[in-house]
């Protein structure tokens, strides 16, 4: 009997759904810290990933042929070793589109209507109708503002759709430069700085690759429209943190909404915590009570193709691009 391991909790119905698609396989559901190395090396398919199973999964006698990650990003996986083994790798791109797009707009609306300032004033019992915070935008509207989206994949497309509903102009930046609905103007990555110069609000949804590491540096922040708002829901290391701090301190950036950081958890003494123009969330923008069902849907669709010796139709990672 061939084995599928899932490192995340599944309902009995979800397990049955997987078994129905792949009747020749047994499904093992366990935490990475509770599963034996023998069981890991016996698995042909692993759903999820963990540092605790790396050596067992990649040993010479491992039966591993395919990994379906639980996340959209794959930067924490040993990509070179997986590529050398010829291991198929699929991610969970698309699972996060709705919750992250809504998290982006939670931040956009917080900054445009200064809700983050009101909440802080509430905690101190302060009645302050001006709702002004150092360096932050004053009370304004999203309508007619320009939103720049760096990394227009599934999340970016959903964000653009919502932005148009708010009457915003949308500028996109993506590797291919290919036009998309709801994006008024699209740039390639070479045009990032030009795109940034037009944005009232800038959202980074970029994956972490060699190309995007510290892409948002002092040069990039120097290119933004003074006082613009920056939101990062992609990957923390795409941003050079000292350059971000400097841009916030000088007012080059008016505010920032940050869900991801170069170092996580963000150290308790980090100056970002106390900046009144910054909203911090602990890498939860993609969290939703519908997460598991969406990952399972992607996996089952791919599994159906896999057992029929067909190319996996959803989210096959290109090792050369690292996503």
């Amino acid at each position: 009997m061939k084995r599928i391991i899932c490192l995340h909790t599944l309902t009995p119905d979800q397990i049955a759904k997987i078994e129905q698609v792949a009747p020749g396989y047994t499904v093992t559901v366990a935490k990475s810290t509770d599963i034996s190395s023998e069981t890991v090396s016996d698995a042909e398919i692993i759903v999820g990933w963990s540092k605790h199973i790396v050596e067992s999964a990649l040993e010479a006698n491992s039966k591993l042929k395919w990994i379906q990650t639980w996340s959209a990003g794959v930067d924490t996986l040993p990509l070179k070793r997986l590529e050398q083994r010829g291991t198929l790798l699929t991610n969970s791109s698309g699972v996060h589109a709705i919750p992250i797009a809504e998290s982006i707009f939670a931040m956009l609306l917080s900054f445009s209507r200064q809700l983050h300032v009101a909440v802080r004033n509430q905690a101190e019992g302060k009645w302050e109708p001006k709702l002004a915070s150092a360096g932050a935008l004053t009370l304004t509207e999203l309508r007619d503002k320009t939103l720049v989206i760096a990394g227009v994949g599934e999340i970016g497309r959903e964000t653009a759709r919502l932005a148009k509903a708010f009457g915003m102009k949308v500028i996109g930046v993506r590797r291919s430069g290919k036009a998309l609905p709801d994006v008024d103007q699209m740039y390639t990555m070479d045009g990032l700085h030009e795109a940034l110069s037009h944005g009232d609000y800038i959202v980074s949804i970029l994956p972490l690759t060699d190309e995007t590491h510290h892409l948002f540096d002092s040069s990039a922040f120097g290119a933004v429209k003074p006082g613009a708002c920056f939101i990062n829901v992609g990957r923390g290391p795409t941003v050079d943190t000292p350059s971000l701090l400097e841009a916030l301190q000088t007012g080059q950036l008016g505010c920032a909404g940050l869900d991801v950081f170069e170092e996580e958890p963000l150290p308790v003494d980090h100056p970002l915590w106390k900046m009144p123009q910054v909203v911090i969330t602990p890498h939860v923008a993609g969290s939703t009570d519908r997460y598991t069902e969406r990952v399972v849907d992607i996996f089952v669709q791919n599994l159906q193709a896999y057992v029929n010796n067909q190319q996996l139709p959803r989210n096959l990672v290109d090792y050369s691009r690292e996503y």
Side-chain angles (χ1 to χ4, degrees), residues 21 299-313:
V21 171
F299 175 61
V300 167
Q301 186 176 345
N302 277 333
L303 184 61
Q304 182 71 66
Y306 181 86
V307 298
N308 290 320
N309 295 314
Q310 298 170 348
Q311 181 171 328
L312 305 187

Side-chain angles (χ1 to χ4, degrees), residues 4 18 45 47 66 68 295-303:
I4 298 171
I18 293 169
I45 302 169
V47 183
W66 169 30
Q68 167 69 59
V295 176
V296 171
D297 285 346
I298 291 171
F299 175 61
V300 167
Q301 186 176 345
N302 277 333
L303 184 61

Side-chain angles (χ1 to χ4, degrees), residues 167-186:
M168 303 183 79
K169 178 182 178 182
V170 180
I171 294 175
V173 183
R174 64 189 311 210
R175 187 170 186 169
S176 69
K178 183 179 178 181
L180 287 172
D182 300 316
V183 178
D184 299 294
Q185 186 176 4
M186 188 74 77

Side-chain angles (χ1 to χ4, degrees), residues 64-84:
L64 181 64
K65 293 184 179 179
W66 169 30
I67 299 170
Q68 167 69 59
T69 68
W70 207 254
S71 62
V74 296
D75 50 275
T76 60
L77 276 72
L79 298 181
K80 295 298 183 184
R81 294 177 67 182
L82 292 173
E83 183 179 17
Q84 289 169 358

